[in-house]
Amino acid sequence: MHALSIPTWIIHVSSVIEWIAAIWFIGRYGEVTRDRAWWGLSFAMLPALVSAMCACTWHFFDNAESLEWLVTLQAAMTVLGNCTLCLAAWWIWRSSQQTAIDDQ
């Protein structure tokens, strides 16, 4: 655990907790409004959470060479997460456009 300072650990852990809370709140919003696009966003956020957990795990074990595959997994999850978030944002936009047409 010597790879990061205590303040940096606080930032890392609180960011992961915040992301988990955001996933939960967005998922609940999707359920309450019955808008599957928002519910989909909560699932689209999961690869980014996995990416963050990979980084925290690797740092927790002092950036051990035997766990270097976590860096590759983190990078892959970041790319996948960016793509899923982009698709989810498009889905929300499309859903809002359809709602605007239906309201006219």
Side-chain angles (χ1 to χ4, degrees):
M1 280 189 49
H2 301 102
L4 301 177
S5 67
I6 297 298
T8 304
W9 271 114
I10 291 169
I11 298 293
H12 274 58
V13 172
S14 63
S15 294
V16 169
I17 292 168
E18 178 183 21
W19 197 253
I20 291 169
I23 290 170
W24 186 79
F25 283 121
I26 291 168
R28 288 290 301 141
Y29 178 78
E31 288 177 14
V32 169
T33 61
R34 295 188 179 154
D35 187 344
R36 292 183 55 84
W38 285 97
W39 185 73
L41 174 62
S42 67
F43 279 97
M45 295 171 74
L46 291 175
L49 177 62
V50 171
S51 175
M53 290 178 162
C54 286
C56 288
T57 301
W58 193 56
H59 290 316
F60 182 80
F61 291 104
D62 291 326
N63 304 342
E65 285 185 34
S66 61
L67 296 176
E68 211 165 289
W69 59 270
L70 283 172
V71 178
T72 305
L73 181 59
Q74 179 194 5
M77 289 294 102
T78 298
V79 170
L80 178 62
N82 289 344
C83 293
T84 58
L85 288 169
C86 180
L87 289 171
W90 173 79
W91 189 15
I92 291 169
W93 173 80
R94 192 186 74 181
S95 174
S96 68
Q97 297 297 311
Q98 187 61 43
T99 302
I101 291 170
D102 292 344
D103 289 343
Q104 290 180 352

